[in-house]
Coordinates of all heavy atoms in Angstrom, one line a residue:
M28 N 12.9 36.4 44.2 CA 12.0 35.4 43.7 C 10.8 36.1 43.0 O 10.2 37.0 43.4 CB 11.4 34.6 44.8 CG 10.5 33.5 44.5 SD 10.0 32.6 45.9 CE 9.1 31.2 45.1
V29 N 10.5 35.5 41.8 CA 9.3 36.1 41.0 C 8.2 35.1 40.9 O 8.4 34.0 40.7 CB 9.8 36.3 39.5 CG1 8.7 36.8 38.7 CG2 11.0 37.4 39.5
D30 N 7.1 35.6 41.3 CA 5.8 34.8 41.2 C 5.2 35.0 39.8 O 5.1 36.1 39.4 CB 4.8 35.1 42.3 CG 5.3 34.7 43.7 OD1 5.9 33.7 43.8 OD2 5.1 35.4 44.6
R31 N 4.8 33.9 39.2 CA 4.2 34.0 37.9 C 2.8 33.3 37.9 O 2.7 32.3 38.6 CB 5.1 33.3 36.9 CG 6.4 34.0 36.7 CD 7.2 33.5 35.6 NE 8.4 34.2 35.6 CZ 9.3 34.3 34.6 NH1 9.1 33.5 33.5 NH2 10.4 35.0 34.7
F32 N 2.0 33.8 37.2 CA 0.6 33.3 37.2 C 0.3 32.7 35.8 O 0.5 33.3 34.8 CB -0.4 34.4 37.4 CG -1.8 33.9 37.4 CD1 -2.3 33.2 38.6 CD2 -2.7 34.1 36.4 CE1 -3.6 32.8 38.7 CE2 -4.0 33.7 36.4 CZ -4.4 32.9 37.6
D33 N -0.1 31.4 35.8 CA -0.3 30.7 34.6 C -1.7 30.2 34.6 O -2.1 29.4 35.5 CB 0.7 29.5 34.5 CG 0.5 28.7 33.2 OD1 -0.6 28.6 32.6 OD2 1.5 28.0 32.9
T34 N -2.6 30.6 33.6 CA -4.0 30.3 33.7 C -4.2 28.8 33.6 O -5.2 28.2 34.1 CB -4.7 31.1 32.6 OG1 -4.2 30.9 31.3 CG2 -4.8 32.6 32.9
D35 N -3.4 28.1 32.7 CA -3.5 26.7 32.6 C -3.2 26.0 33.9 O -4.0 25.1 34.3 CB -2.5 26.1 31.5 CG -2.9 26.6 30.1 OD1 -4.0 26.9 29.8 OD2 -2.0 26.7 29.2
D36 N -2.2 26.4 34.6 CA -1.9 25.9 35.9 C -3.0 26.1 36.9 O -3.4 25.2 37.6 CB -0.5 26.4 36.4 CG 0.0 25.7 37.6 OD1 0.1 24.4 37.6 OD2 0.2 26.4 38.6
A37 N -3.6 27.3 36.9 CA -4.7 27.6 37.7 C -5.9 26.8 37.4 O -6.6 26.3 38.4 CB -5.0 29.1 37.6
A38 N -6.2 26.5 36.2 CA -7.3 25.6 35.8 C -7.1 24.3 36.3 O -8.1 23.7 36.8 CB -7.5 25.7 34.3
I39 N -5.9 23.7 36.1 CA -5.6 22.4 36.7 C -5.8 22.3 38.1 O -6.4 21.4 38.7 CB -4.2 21.9 36.2 CG1 -4.1 21.7 34.7 CG2 -3.8 20.7 37.0 CD1 -2.8 21.5 34.1
H40 N -5.2 23.3 38.8 CA -5.4 23.3 40.4 C -6.8 23.4 40.7 O -7.3 22.8 41.7 CB -4.5 24.4 41.0 CG -3.1 24.1 41.0 ND1 -2.5 23.0 41.6 CD2 -2.0 24.7 40.4 CE1 -1.2 23.1 41.4 NE2 -0.9 24.1 40.7
G41 N -7.6 24.2 40.0 CA -9.0 24.4 40.3 C -9.7 23.0 40.1 O -10.6 22.6 41.0
A42 N -9.4 22.3 39.0 CA -10.1 21.0 38.8 C -9.6 20.0 40.0 O -10.5 19.3 40.4 CB -9.7 20.4 37.5
V43 N -8.4 20.0 40.3 CA -7.9 19.1 41.4 C -8.6 19.4 42.7 O -9.0 18.6 43.5 CB -6.4 19.3 41.6 CG1 -5.9 18.6 42.9 CG2 -5.7 18.6 40.3
A44 N -8.9 20.8 42.9 CA -9.7 21.1 44.1 C -11.2 20.9 44.1 O -11.9 21.2 45.0 CB -9.4 22.7 44.4
G45 N -11.7 20.3 43.0 CA -13.0 20.0 42.9 C -13.9 21.1 42.3 O -15.2 21.1 42.5
M46 N -13.4 22.1 41.7 CA -14.1 23.2 41.2 C -14.7 23.1 39.9 O -15.3 24.0 39.4 CB -13.2 24.5 41.4 CG -12.8 24.9 42.8 SD -11.6 26.2 42.8 CE -12.7 27.6 42.5
G47 N -14.4 22.0 39.2 CA -15.0 21.8 37.9 C -14.0 20.9 37.1 O -13.1 20.2 37.7
M48 N -14.3 20.8 35.8 CA -13.4 20.0 35.0 C -12.5 20.9 34.1 O -12.7 22.1 34.1 CB -14.3 19.1 34.0 CG -15.2 19.9 33.1 SD -16.1 18.9 32.0 CE -15.0 18.6 30.6
V49 N -11.5 20.3 33.6 CA -10.5 21.0 32.7 C -10.2 20.3 31.4 O -10.2 19.0 31.4 CB -9.2 21.2 33.5 CG1 -8.5 19.9 33.9 CG2 -8.2 22.2 32.8
L50 N -10.1 21.0 30.3 CA -9.9 20.5 29.0 C -8.5 20.9 28.7 O -8.2 22.0 28.4 CB -10.9 21.0 28.1 CG -10.8 20.6 26.6 CD1 -10.9 19.0 26.5 CD2 -11.7 21.3 25.6
M51 N -7.6 19.9 28.8 CA -6.1 20.1 28.5 C -5.6 18.9 27.8 O -6.1 17.8 27.9 CB -5.4 20.2 29.9 CG -5.7 21.3 30.7 SD -4.9 22.8 30.2 CE -5.6 23.9 31.3
P52 N -4.6 19.1 27.0 CA -3.8 18.0 26.4 C -3.3 17.1 27.5 O -2.9 17.6 28.5 CB -2.7 18.7 25.6 CG -3.2 20.2 25.5 CD -4.0 20.4 26.6
P53 N -3.3 15.8 27.3 CA -2.8 14.9 28.3 C -1.4 15.2 28.8 O -1.1 15.0 30.1 CB -2.7 13.5 27.5 CG -3.8 13.7 26.4 CD -3.7 15.1 26.0
V54 N -0.5 15.8 28.1 CA 0.8 16.1 28.6 C 0.8 17.1 29.7 O 1.7 17.1 30.5 CB 1.8 16.5 27.4 CG1 1.4 17.9 26.9 CG2 3.3 16.5 27.8
M55 N -0.2 17.9 29.7 CA -0.3 18.9 30.8 C -0.9 18.4 32.0 O -0.8 19.1 33.1 CB -1.2 20.1 30.3 CG -0.5 20.9 29.2 SD -1.3 22.3 28.7 CE -0.9 23.4 30.0
T56 N -1.6 17.2 32.0 CA -2.2 16.7 33.2 C -1.7 15.4 33.6 O -2.3 14.7 34.6 CB -3.8 16.7 33.0 OG1 -4.0 15.9 31.8 CG2 -4.3 18.1 32.8
E57 N -0.7 14.8 33.0 CA -0.3 13.4 33.2 C 0.1 13.2 34.7 O -0.2 12.2 35.2 CB 0.7 13.0 32.2 CG 2.0 13.6 32.4 CD 3.0 13.0 31.3 OE1 2.6 12.3 30.3 OE2 4.2 13.3 31.4
R58 N 0.8 14.2 35.3 CA 1.1 14.1 36.7 C 0.0 13.9 37.6 O 0.0 13.0 38.5 CB 2.0 15.3 37.1 CG 2.5 15.2 38.5 CD 3.4 16.4 38.9 NE 2.7 17.6 38.7 CZ 3.2 18.8 38.2 NH1 4.5 18.8 37.9 NH2 2.5 19.9 38.1
E59 N -1.1 14.8 37.4 CA -2.3 14.7 38.2 C -3.1 13.4 37.9 O -3.6 12.8 38.9 CB -3.2 15.9 38.0 CG -2.6 17.2 38.6 CD -1.6 17.8 37.7 OE1 -1.3 17.3 36.5 OE2 -0.9 18.8 38.1
I60 N -3.1 13.0 36.7 CA -3.8 11.7 36.4 C -3.1 10.5 37.0 O -3.7 9.6 37.7 CB -4.0 11.5 34.9 CG1 -5.0 12.6 34.4 CG2 -4.4 10.1 34.5 CD1 -5.1 12.7 32.9
E61 N -1.7 10.5 36.9 CA -1.0 9.4 37.6 C -1.1 9.4 39.0 O -1.1 8.3 39.7 CB 0.5 9.5 37.2 CG 0.8 9.1 35.7 CD 2.2 9.4 35.3 OE1 3.1 9.8 36.2 OE2 2.5 9.2 34.1
A62 N -1.3 10.5 39.7 CA -1.4 10.6 41.2 C -2.8 10.4 41.6 O -3.1 10.2 42.8 CB -1.0 12.1 41.6
G63 N -3.8 10.3 40.7 CA -5.2 10.1 41.0 C -5.9 11.3 41.4 O -7.1 11.2 41.8
S64 N -5.3 12.5 41.2 CA -5.9 13.7 41.6 C -7.1 14.1 40.6 O -8.0 14.8 40.8 CB -5.0 14.9 41.7 OG -3.9 14.6 42.6
L65 N -6.8 13.7 39.3 CA -7.7 13.9 38.1 C -8.0 12.6 37.4 O -7.1 11.7 37.5 CB -7.1 14.9 37.2 CG -7.0 16.4 37.6 CD1 -6.4 17.1 36.5 CD2 -8.3 17.0 37.9
V66 N -9.0 12.4 36.8 CA -9.3 11.3 36.0 C -9.8 11.7 34.6 O -10.3 12.8 34.5 CB -10.5 10.4 36.6 CG1 -10.1 9.9 37.9 CG2 -11.8 11.2 36.8
E67 N -9.5 10.9 33.6 CA -9.9 11.2 32.3 C -11.3 10.8 32.1 O -11.8 9.8 32.6 CB -9.0 10.4 31.3 CG -7.6 10.9 31.2 CD -6.8 10.3 30.2 OE1 -7.1 10.5 29.0 OE2 -5.9 9.5 30.5
L68 N -12.1 11.6 31.4 CA -13.5 11.2 31.0 C -13.4 10.0 30.1 O -12.7 10.1 29.1 CB -14.2 12.3 30.4 CG -14.5 13.5 31.3 CD1 -15.1 14.6 30.5 CD2 -15.4 13.1 32.5
P69 N -14.2 8.9 30.3 CA -14.2 7.8 29.4 C -14.8 8.2 28.0 O -15.7 9.0 27.9 CB -15.1 6.8 30.1 CG -15.7 7.4 31.2 CD -15.1 8.8 31.4
A70 N -14.1 7.7 27.0 CA -14.5 8.0 25.6 C -14.4 9.4 25.2 O -15.0 9.9 24.2 CB -15.9 7.4 25.3
A71 N -13.8 10.2 26.0 CA -13.6 11.6 25.6 C -12.5 11.8 24.6 O -11.4 11.3 24.8 CB -13.4 12.6 26.8
P72 N -12.8 12.6 23.5 CA -11.7 12.7 22.6 C -10.5 13.6 23.2 O -10.8 14.4 24.0 CB -12.4 13.5 21.4 CG -13.5 14.2 22.1 CD -13.9 13.3 23.2
S73 N -9.4 13.3 22.7 CA -8.2 14.1 23.1 C -8.3 15.5 22.6 O -8.7 15.7 21.5 CB -6.9 13.4 22.6 OG -5.8 14.0 23.1
A74 N -7.9 16.4 23.5 CA -7.9 17.9 23.1 C -6.7 18.3 22.5 O -5.6 18.1 23.0 CB -8.2 18.7 24.3
V75 N -6.8 18.9 21.4 CA -5.6 19.5 20.7 C -5.8 21.0 20.8 O -6.7 21.5 20.0 CB -5.4 19.0 19.2 CG1 -4.2 19.7 18.6 CG2 -5.2 17.5 19.2
L76 N -5.1 21.7 21.6 CA -5.3 23.1 21.8 C -4.1 23.9 21.3 O -3.0 23.7 21.9 CB -5.6 23.4 23.3 CG -6.7 22.6 24.0 CD1 -6.8 22.9 25.4 CD2 -8.0 23.0 23.2
G77 N -4.2 24.7 20.3 CA -3.1 25.5 19.8 C -2.0 24.7 19.2 O -2.2 23.5 18.9
A78 N -0.9 25.3 19.0 CA 0.3 24.6 18.4 C 1.6 25.3 18.9 O 1.6 26.3 19.4 CB 0.2 24.8 16.9
Y79 N 2.6 24.5 18.8 CA 3.9 24.9 19.2 C 4.9 24.8 18.0 O 4.7 23.9 17.2 CB 4.5 24.2 20.4 CG 3.6 24.3 21.6 CD1 2.6 23.4 21.9 CD2 3.8 25.4 22.5 CE1 1.8 23.5 23.0 CE2 3.0 25.5 23.6 CZ 2.1 24.7 23.9 OH 1.3 24.8 25.0
E80 N 5.8 25.6 17.9 CA 6.8 25.5 16.9 C 8.2 25.6 17.5 O 8.5 26.5 18.4 CB 6.7 26.7 15.9 CG 7.5 26.6 14.7 CD 7.2 27.7 13.7 OE1 6.1 28.3 13.8 OE2 8.1 27.9 12.8
L81 N 9.1 24.7 17.2 CA 10.4 24.7 17.7 C 11.4 25.0 16.6 O 11.5 24.2 15.6 CB 10.7 23.2 18.3 CG 12.1 23.0 18.8 CD1 12.5 23.9 20.0 CD2 12.4 21.6 19.2
L82 N 12.1 26.1 16.7 CA 13.1 26.5 15.7 C 14.4 26.3 16.3 O 14.7 26.7 17.5 CB 12.8 28.0 15.4 CG 11.4 28.4 14.9 CD1 11.4 29.9 14.7 CD2 11.1 27.7 13.6
T83 N 15.3 25.7 15.6 CA 16.7 25.4 16.0 C 17.7 25.9 14.9 O 17.3 26.3 13.9 CB 16.9 24.0 16.3 OG1 16.8 23.2 15.1 CG2 15.9 23.4 17.3
T84 N 18.9 26.0 15.3 CA 20.0 26.2 14.4 C 20.2 25.0 13.5 O 19.7 24.0 13.8 CB 21.3 26.6 15.1 OG1 21.7 25.5 15.9 CG2 21.1 27.8 16.1
A85 N 21.1 25.1 12.5 CA 21.3 24.0 11.6 C 21.9 22.9 12.4 O 21.7 21.7 12.0 CB 22.2 24.5 10.5
R86 N 22.7 23.2 13.4 CA 23.4 22.1 14.2 C 23.1 22.4 15.7 O 24.0 22.9 16.4 CB 24.9 22.0 13.9 CG 25.1 21.6 12.5 CD 26.6 21.5 12.0 NE 27.6 21.7 13.0 CZ 28.9 22.0 12.7 NH1 29.2 22.2 11.4 NH2 29.7 22.2 13.6
P87 N 21.9 22.0 16.2 CA 21.5 22.2 17.5 C 22.4 21.5 18.5 O 22.9 20.4 18.2 CB 20.1 21.9 17.6 CG 19.9 21.0 16.5 CD 20.8 21.3 15.4
R88 N 22.5 22.0 19.7 CA 23.2 21.3 20.8 C 22.5 20.0 21.1 O 21.3 19.9 20.9 CB 23.3 22.2 22.0 CG 24.2 23.5 21.8 CD 24.2 24.3 23.0 NE 22.9 24.8 23.3 CZ 22.6 25.3 24.5 NH1 23.5 25.4 25.5 NH2 21.4 25.7 24.8
P89 N 23.2 19.0 21.7 CA 22.6 17.8 22.2 C 21.4 17.9 23.0 O 20.4 17.1 22.9 CB 23.8 17.0 22.8 CG 24.9 17.6 22.2 CD 24.7 19.0 21.9
V90 N 21.4 18.9 23.9 CA 20.2 19.0 24.8 C 19.0 19.4 24.1 O 17.9 19.1 24.3 CB 20.6 20.0 26.0 CG1 20.8 21.4 25.4 CG2 19.5 19.9 27.1
V91 N 19.2 20.2 23.0 CA 18.0 20.7 22.2 C 17.5 19.5 21.3 O 16.3 19.3 21.2 CB 18.5 21.8 21.2 CG1 17.4 22.2 20.2 CG2 18.9 23.0 22.1
E92 N 18.4 18.6 20.8 CA 18.0 17.5 20.1 C 17.2 16.5 21.0 O 16.2 15.9 20.6 CB 19.2 16.7 19.5 CG 19.7 17.3 18.2 CD 18.6 17.3 17.2 OE1 17.8 16.2 17.0 OE2 18.5 18.2 16.4
K93 N 17.7 16.4 22.3 CA 17.0 15.5 23.2 C 15.6 16.0 23.5 O 14.6 15.3 23.6 CB 17.8 15.4 24.5 CG 17.3 14.5 25.5 CD 18.3 14.3 26.7 CE 17.7 13.3 27.7 NZ 18.6 13.1 28.8
F94 N 15.5 17.3 23.7 CA 14.2 18.0 23.9 C 13.2 17.7 22.7 O 12.1 17.4 22.8 CB 14.3 19.5 24.2 CG 13.0 20.2 24.3 CD1 12.1 20.0 25.4 CD2 12.6 21.0 23.4 CE1 10.9 20.6 25.5 CE2 11.3 21.7 23.4 CZ 10.6 21.5 24.5
R95 N 13.8 18.0 21.5 CA 13.1 17.8 20.3 C 12.5 16.3 20.2 O 11.4 16.2 19.8 CB 13.9 18.1 19.1 CG 13.2 18.0 17.7 CD 14.1 18.3 16.6 NE 13.5 18.1 15.3 CZ 13.4 16.9 14.7 NH1 13.9 15.8 15.2 NH2 12.8 16.8 13.5
S96 N 13.3 15.4 20.5 CA 12.9 14.0 20.4 C 11.8 13.8 21.4 O 10.8 13.0 21.0 CB 14.2 13.1 20.7 OG 13.8 11.8 20.8
W97 N 11.9 14.2 22.6 CA 10.9 14.1 23.6 C 9.6 14.8 23.1 O 8.5 14.1 23.2 CB 11.3 14.7 25.0 CG 10.2 14.6 25.9 CD1 9.8 13.7 26.7 CD2 9.3 15.7 26.2 NE1 8.8 14.0 27.5 CE2 8.4 15.3 27.2 CE3 9.1 17.0 25.7 CZ2 7.4 16.1 27.7 CZ3 8.2 17.8 26.2 CH2 7.2 17.4 27.2
L98 N 9.7 15.9 22.6 CA 8.5 16.6 22.1 C 7.8 15.9 21.0 O 6.6 15.9 21.0 CB 9.0 18.1 21.6 CG 7.9 19.1 21.4 CD1 7.1 19.4 22.7 CD2 8.5 20.4 20.9
L99 N 8.5 15.3 20.1 CA 7.9 14.6 19.0 C 7.2 13.4 19.5 O 6.2 13.0 18.9 CB 8.9 14.2 17.9 CG 9.5 15.4 17.1 CD1 10.6 14.9 16.2 CD2 8.4 16.0 16.3
K100 N 7.6 12.8 20.6 CA 7.0 11.6 21.1 C 5.7 12.0 21.8 O 4.8 11.1 22.0 CB 7.9 10.9 22.1 CG 9.0 10.2 21.5 CD 10.0 9.6 22.5 CE 11.2 9.1 21.9 NZ 12.2 8.6 22.9
Q101 N 5.5 13.2 22.2 CA 4.4 13.7 23.0 C 3.2 14.0 22.0 O 2.0 14.0 22.5 CB 4.7 14.9 23.8 CG 5.8 14.8 24.8 CD 5.5 13.6 25.7 OE1 4.5 13.4 26.3 NE2 6.5 12.7 25.8
R102 N 3.5 14.3 20.8 CA 2.4 14.7 20.0 C 1.4 13.5 19.7 O 1.9 12.4 19.5 CB 2.9 15.4 18.6 CG 3.6 14.4 17.7 CD 4.1 15.1 16.5 NE 4.9 14.1 15.7 CZ 5.4 14.3 14.6 NH1 5.4 15.5 14.1 NH2 6.0 13.4 13.9
P103 N 0.2 13.8 19.4 CA -0.7 12.7 19.1 C -0.5 12.1 17.7 O 0.0 12.8 16.9 CB -2.1 13.3 19.2 CG -1.9 14.8 19.3 CD -0.5 15.1 19.6
A104 N -1.0 10.9 17.5 CA -0.7 10.3 16.3 C -1.7 10.9 15.2 O -2.7 11.5 15.7 CB -1.0 8.7 16.4
Q105 N -1.4 10.8 13.9 CA -2.3 11.4 13.0 C -3.7 10.7 13.2 O -3.9 9.7 13.4 CB -1.8 11.1 11.5 CG -0.6 11.8 11.2 CD -0.8 13.3 11.0 OE1 -1.2 14.0 11.9 NE2 -0.7 13.8 9.7
G106 N -4.7 11.6 13.1 CA -6.1 11.2 13.1 C -6.7 11.1 14.5 O -7.9 10.9 14.7
E107 N -5.9 11.4 15.6 CA -6.5 11.5 16.9 C -7.0 12.8 17.2 O -6.8 13.8 16.7 CB -5.3 11.2 17.9 CG -4.9 9.7 18.1 CD -4.0 9.5 19.2 OE1 -3.9 10.3 20.2 OE2 -3.4 8.4 19.2

């Protein structure tokens, strides 16, 4: 078993533990928000941190297409 340390995950767990706030894209905190462990600040703008790029072959496998479709639904609308 390999233990991995993720600073985003640590920041979320710290906020859940009451150690402060966290600035994350909604997709990274939706589980905690739905559970009531975190709340969104009212009228706070959505955070867009960094960028991701998905590169595929000319004819990707169905599972890759399914992931791509999900990923596109997660991105904010233009102007947000």
Side-chain angles (χ1 to χ4, degrees):
M28 179 176 190
V29 176
D30 291 323
R31 296 187 182 193
F32 183 76
D33 181 334
T34 55
D35 292 334
D36 190 53
I39 293 169
H40 286 299
V43 168
M46 298 174 72
M48 60 179 274
V49 65
L50 179 62
M51 295 278 174
V54 70
M55 294 185 72
T56 56
E57 72 183 5
R58 181 178 56 219
E59 289 79 7
I60 290 171
E61 287 174 5
S64 303
L65 292 178
V66 295
E67 291 184 69
L68 293 175
S73 187
V75 178
L76 307 174
Y79 296 93
E80 186 172 344
L81 177 64
L82 303 175
T83 65
T84 61
R86 294 181 6 201
R88 294 180 298 160
V90 67
V91 174
E92 279 299 321
K93 187 174 182 178
F94 174 71
R95 180 182 177 277
S96 176
W97 172 84
L98 192 60
L99 290 172
K100 290 177 188 172
Q101 302 307 309
R102 68 182 179 180
Q105 289 289 65
E107 281 189 20

